[in-house]
Amino acid sequence: MSDYVIGKIIRIIYENNTNSYKVGVFKVKDSSGNLKEYINHSISFVGNFNNLSNEVFYKFYGNIVEHPKYGEQLNVNNYEICNPTDEEEIISYLGSGLFKGIGIKTAEKIVDKYGNKTIETIKKDPYALSKINGISVKTSLYIHEKLNSLTYEEELISNLTKMGFGVNESVKIVKTCALNLPDIIKNNLYILTNIIDFDKVDSIYKKYNDQNSDLRVENVITHSIKNVCYKTGNTLASIEEVYIEVLKYFDNDFKLSSFKIYLKNLIEQFKIYEFDNYLMLNYFYDTEEYIGERINLYNRIKIKESVSKIKKYLNKFEKKNNIILNDDQKEAIIESINNNLFIITGGPGTGKTTIIKAIVDYYEDKNSIALLAPTGRSAKRMSYSVGVNASTIHKFLKWDKETSTFGLNEYNQSKAKIVIIDEFSMVDIFLFSSLLKSLKDTVKLILVGDANQLPSINPGDVLYDLLNSNNINKKYLTQIYRTNEKSFINILANRIKNKELIEDANDYNDFRFIESSDNNIINNLKVICESIKNKKMSLDEFQVLVPMYKGINGIDNLNKIMQNIFNPNNNDIEELIIGNTIYRENDKVIQLINDVDNNVFNGDIGYIERVNSYPKKSIIINFSSHKVEYEQNDFDKFNLAYAVSIHKSQGSEYDNVVVIISNSHKRMFYNKLIYTACTRAKKNLIVVGQKDNFNYSIMSNYSEKRITHLKEFIK
């Protein structure tokens, strides 16, 4: 255990309620080890805490760190409440005003009776104070409960940190399940894997229990199934894959025969299901089953509006917007209006957004329509194109990151009558299930997406499964609008989709292939970036897409190179080193996770406006419509974005796109990935790499079809 200081908090300088980080001043009464010199002095402290009170004595464990600007600070890695020990301290504590109805004089009477055992006595006996003249039973019970509640959570946090959890993890656990925690620790520590990383919980469990216990083996197996599914995107995992994953947790010393016995037990407990040598977790099964049931419900409801009425409206819509809809687009609009469930699918430039606008404009009550998309950028783009506010699915569902729950659910449903979801290929089974729970049985659901794009990052392939069900009404769009005589981008997209090899594409003004070896990719990219810089083109209009983070031609290294071109080191701007990355003011960055509270979502692009170093390190990012402050515990939520992954770019469009195809990344490229990358470009596309690798990517069927069970539930 670290050295410690004992004393009281003088004041809190800064606190963040979202991650429990606090900065304050502490008056030291006693201390140990290297902290002895601080007795009777005040010291700054930083760390993660639950609720703190300036009326309580604390023992802070930690070490002194030297802040370059603000000097010595105690970095607290554990803490606990100290009960006051001498009678004078107890009188001061009880009479401080912390306990309603108890003043100094009453506190003196209490201490006269119980002495230095006062705190211990009150905690044990709820009626102890009622034995003192002038204190009612009600007051006695209140102070007993208050005193115990003040220490209960801190004691839990202290116990968790002693077990091996970090202070921040411990605070998070206590906030989520304080009342049930003793039972969880005693009977099933793995319940905490809903809050804390499985490997961390597992390592702590092994410290106190047999690593071959039934509880651990079963949890390792179910976690391994989940791991395989999240790696592959499948909702089922083969028995062989799961067994290989399980072996990692037992140093390859776990017999296949034992593994199969545990599988049998888990199946009998309905924790997993088995289908033709594949395993499925019960909550994956329940999720796909629920989606199937809701899809069947919506699919049965038919609405018959007059087709002639809709056609008259479409004539007006065409004149008003100065466009001509083709027959497929008109059919998609008519069928969307006349079905409670309809799917519209097609590649870039086929007019999907125009169809959405036509459907929205048909209905007078715009407030009853919810336009949704998986990412912030795609929602903003839809809002701009359609002229009606759109939202991310998470924001619509009122995501609460503290509790990991949605405010809208089966018990509190949305009033929306029509829900249109764009970029639907990105939606996984869990998000779609949560959305369906929030919608009424009579809602009209219109799903729009490109089935040739990448499927969702999380398990499932919902759009593909629904499109391949014979029972669901749908319309495929093939005619390309967003093109001109010399344009090649959309033609290229169709060729990739149809697996046609690219021989020569140099006759087009919006596409260029730069043949390049791996060793020369960076030089070619530098030339492109310098050209962009010289043209004074906004970085919003230019994006480099790469499949992998590591390696000389990976995202991390290319970001450093482009950062030095577009935002080089300058003594006039602040910068901060986080891990191996330098972040500077004016840097282009990308959000990596959904954060509904701050209205920023996975894939959103922003620019660092300010770098702060006190009262603690923080970075303020401007996302065009608003600003978000990130603190030290949040620094993993964003990354430099001069180059981004193709997965992160999905749902976004850029005027100018550069796709890097390195030979070392060849195994990562496949048809849907290269299709998604190339279709991000609106005006100009440059591919840098070897044409053989580009054609290899077009022909590769890797990850073409995920293994799911959803179709079995759609009737």
Side-chain angles (χ1 to χ4, degrees), residues 255-493:
K255 292 181 179 178
L256 180 60
S257 57
S258 298
F259 171 68
K260 289 186 175 180
I261 290 171
Y262 277 104
L263 281 187
K264 185 173 181 293
N265 292 335
L266 287 166
I267 290 168
E268 288 174 353
Q269 296 172 55
F270 297 103
K271 291 183 178 179
I272 61 175
Y273 295 90
E274 183 179 3
F275 301 98
D276 298 326
N277 211 39
Y278 281 89
L279 302 172
M280 191 174 194
L281 291 171
N282 56 359
Y283 68 95
F284 278 65
Y285 181 93
D286 293 343
T287 300
E288 289 198 317
E289 182 182 43
Y290 177 78
I291 291 171
E293 289 172 351
R294 298 293 288 184
I295 290 297
N296 292 334
L297 173 66
Y298 295 137
N299 208 30
R300 284 196 295 268
I301 302 172
K302 302 294 180 184
I303 302 171
K304 277 298 172 188
E305 295 243 0
S306 165
V307 174
S308 60
K309 175 189 171 184
I310 300 173
K311 286 182 176 179
K312 285 180 183 177
Y313 156 75
L314 291 177
N315 289 334
K316 293 178 182 177
F317 178 82
E318 288 177 316
K319 290 176 183 176
K320 179 182 174 182
N321 293 278
N322 194 27
I323 59 172
I324 297 175
L325 299 169
N326 66 37
D327 290 342
D328 284 344
Q329 287 177 311
K330 289 178 180 178
E331 184 182 341
I333 296 165
I334 293 168
E335 291 299 307
S336 293
I337 293 170
N338 275 330
N339 285 279
N340 253 30
L341 174 67
F342 196 76
I343 303 175
I344 301 164
T345 185
T350 53
K352 297 189 296 295
T353 305
T354 302
I355 291 171
I356 294 174
K357 179 172 174 55
I359 295 168
V360 170
D361 284 0
Y362 178 79
Y363 296 98
E364 292 183 9
D365 184 8
K366 302 293 188 285
N367 292 326
S368 67
I369 303 173
L371 291 184
L372 306 178
T375 69
R377 287 179 72 88
S378 51
K380 288 173 188 173
R381 192 178 71 245
M382 184 159 49
S383 294
Y384 176 78
S385 301
V386 177
V388 174
N389 283 337
S391 164
T392 63
I393 299 172
H394 278 81
K395 187 176 181 181
F396 172 79
L397 292 175
K398 300 180 181 177
W399 169 251
D400 184 338
K401 67 179 180 182
E402 287 293 314
T403 59
S404 296
T405 57
F406 291 113
L408 290 183
N409 49 49
E410 60 265 56
Y411 309 109
N412 180 34
Q413 293 184 319
S414 167
K415 295 178 182 178
K417 296 178 181 178
I418 301 167
V419 174
I420 303 174
I421 311 172
D422 197 12
E423 299 289 352
F424 189 70
S425 63
M426 299 173 67
V427 178
D428 62 75
I429 59 169
F430 300 113
L431 184 57
F432 191 43
S433 172
S434 295
L435 176 63
L436 293 177
K437 286 176 183 176
S438 78
L439 303 178
K440 296 187 181 298
D441 293 350
T442 55
V443 77
K444 175 188 289 294
L445 192 61
I446 300 169
L447 311 176
V448 183
D450 184 351
N452 292 292
Q453 283 191 43
L454 293 169
S456 57
I457 293 174
N458 290 335
D461 201 351
V462 184
L463 179 59
Y464 180 93
D465 287 338
L466 297 183
L467 285 173
N468 282 275
S469 169
N470 295 327
N471 307 309
I472 297 175
N473 292 304
K474 60 193 79 82
K475 187 63 187 178
Y476 291 87
L477 305 172
T478 56
Q479 185 173 331
I480 297 172
Y481 279 86
R482 199 173 68 206
T483 187
N484 58 55
E485 190 178 327
K486 294 292 287 182
S487 175
F488 187 72
I489 294 174
N490 293 315
I491 294 172
L492 175 66

Side-chain angles (χ1 to χ4, degrees), residues 70 197 276 412 496 559:
Y70 299 99
D197 177 69
D276 298 326
N412 180 34
I496 293 171
N559 264 323

Side-chain angles (χ1 to χ4, degrees), residues 47 49-50 141 150 200 251 259 264 293 296 457 469 476 510 541 549 611 677 690-691 708:
F49 304 87
N50 201 27
L141 290 169
L150 282 171
K200 180 64 174 284
D251 298 323
F259 171 68
K264 185 173 181 293
E293 289 172 351
N296 292 334
I457 293 174
S469 169
Y476 291 87
D510 63 347
E541 301 171 14
Y549 283 87
V611 172
Q690 294 176 311
K691 199 166 287 183
T708 66

